[in-house]
Amino acid sequence: MKTRQGILGVALGLIVLSGPAAQGAGVMGPPIAILEESQWSVGIEYGYAQTGLKAHGTRLNRPEGDEAAYGAEFIDLEGLTSRMVFANLAYGVCDNWDLFVRVGAADARDHAVVRTAPFSAGPERFRYDGDYGLACGFGTRATFCYWGPWQFGGTTQVTWLDPAKDRFSWSDPAVPGSSVSGSADADFWHVQAGLAATYQIDTFRFWAGPFVQFVRGSFDRRGQTFTDGLPTGSFASSGDIEESSQAGVHFGAIWQVSGGTNCWIEGQYTSDSWVFGFGAAIAPSRFLPGR
């Protein structure tokens, strides 16, 4: 048992330390192990998130008839909303340690504010509307200790979200006849690590605790500018995404429907983001003959 606990500590530590280097918000699920040793489960998860992100990078302008010029670009995604659906597969390494992987789809939407220098005196505003694209991730959860009805545990995970590319268009009211059209593409890694205390009442367990998150990714745009319907140039930009807030709290409840079935609901909150999610998992081996 000491050897397994040592391996568990090393695994959790490696995933936590990889967070800042791993190039948004994701559902986390239970912060304690829910499987027995060598048991596996299949399940489904849904999450709805609103995250504050920011991006900064470079922009290349190519005016018609003039030389191309580079500038700086800053993008605020103050309320990026994302819906995500995952199928998950989990395995119990031992009674107090689970590993899991998930794969599914996620979208992303927000009203973006773009500031560029030295090309524009005022901000550009457009709606980013990325439809469902691939999402996947992996992680681990563990129970560290028990004390009567109390359990103490934690979870760490990495989630990759790649919403579909969006087409956008907008016009500047300060410049009559002007318009811009193009495409925007975002993808990002979301790394989370959390601890929690869990209290059990009959078949229900309620948890709460702190967590940290790191978001890294890219936000790319390209398009054309028009005046009175005639093309006047093109542009391309690429920015690096990062989170606006890193620390927060997560909380939720688990219902053990039976020895092989669990359902849960969860929430996450930071100063610039929040997540609501729920999920369920079933261990098929508990329903096989001889179990």
Side-chain angles (χ1 to χ4, degrees):
M1 177 60 71
K2 289 184 178 179
T3 301
R4 283 178 175 171
Q5 289 179 339
I7 296 174
L8 168 61
V10 172
L12 288 170
L14 288 174
I15 295 180
V16 172
L17 290 174
S18 70
Q23 300 286 332
V27 291
M28 294 175 67
I32 56 174
I34 60 175
L35 296 175
E36 299 174 0
E37 183 176 355
S38 300
Q39 190 178 59
W40 59 277
S41 70
V42 292
I44 188 168
E45 298 168 289
Y46 172 83
Y48 184 86
Q50 186 174 91
T51 311
L53 300 175
K54 53 188 177 182
H56 63 278
T58 58
R59 173 166 171 161
L60 175 62
N61 269 17
R62 299 186 181 93
E64 292 285 340
D66 291 330
E67 293 185 359
Y70 283 94
E73 182 169 88
F74 304 89
I75 302 174
D76 289 326
L77 299 167
E78 299 176 350
L80 185 74
T81 60
S82 180
R83 295 169 294 181
M84 60 205 83
V85 180
F86 294 104
N88 67 62
L89 177 67
Y91 177 76
V93 180
C94 60
D95 289 345
N96 297 320
W97 181 17
D98 299 347
L99 300 176
F100 60 87
V101 295
R102 54 168 65 114
V103 62
D107 68 352
R109 293 176 169 84
D110 193 14
H111 289 281
V113 179
V114 182
R115 295 174 175 82
T116 59
F119 304 129
S120 176
E124 304 171 10
R125 302 178 186 272
F126 71 96
R127 178 170 174 78
Y128 170 63
D129 192 356
D131 207 349
Y132 280 97
L134 178 65
C136 57
F138 65 93
T140 183
R141 53 182 175 245
T143 304
F144 302 135
C145 61
Y146 301 82
W147 184 43
W150 292 93
Q151 297 174 313
F152 299 90
T155 183
T156 61
Q157 67 177 32
V158 178
T159 307
W160 178 57
L161 305 178
D162 186 20
K165 184 181 295 186
D166 176 49
R167 300 289 303 181
F168 67 84
S169 62
W170 62 275
S171 58
D172 187 350
V175 184
S178 69
S179 62
V180 178
S181 66
S183 63
D185 188 22
D187 68 89
F188 40 92
W189 293 90
H190 191 180
V191 183
Q192 296 166 289
L195 299 172
T198 302
Y199 187 81
Q200 184 168 357
I201 303 176
D202 196 19
T203 58
F204 292 89
R205 284 172 285 183
F206 303 88
W207 83 78
F211 80 97
V212 293
Q213 64 178 2
F214 305 94
V215 180
R216 297 294 183 269
S218 62
F219 191 84
D220 301 325
R221 299 192 307 145
R222 61 181 62 249
Q224 286 187 300
T225 58
F226 301 87
T227 299
D228 296 327
L230 299 176
T232 56
S234 62
F235 68 92
S237 66
S238 179
D240 296 323
I241 291 176
E242 62 183 28
E243 73 286 337
S244 297
S245 59
Q246 294 182 339
V249 295
H250 67 121
F251 45 88
I254 316 168
W255 176 32
Q256 187 174 16
V257 182
S258 66
T261 305
N262 291 278
C263 300
W264 60 86
I265 187 171
E266 66 171 296
Q268 303 169 32
Y269 177 80
T270 75
S271 61
D272 289 299
S273 66
W274 57 265
V275 178
F276 167 77
F278 58 86
I282 184 170
S285 60
R286 294 299 297 267
F287 300 96
L288 296 177
R291 295 294 294 180

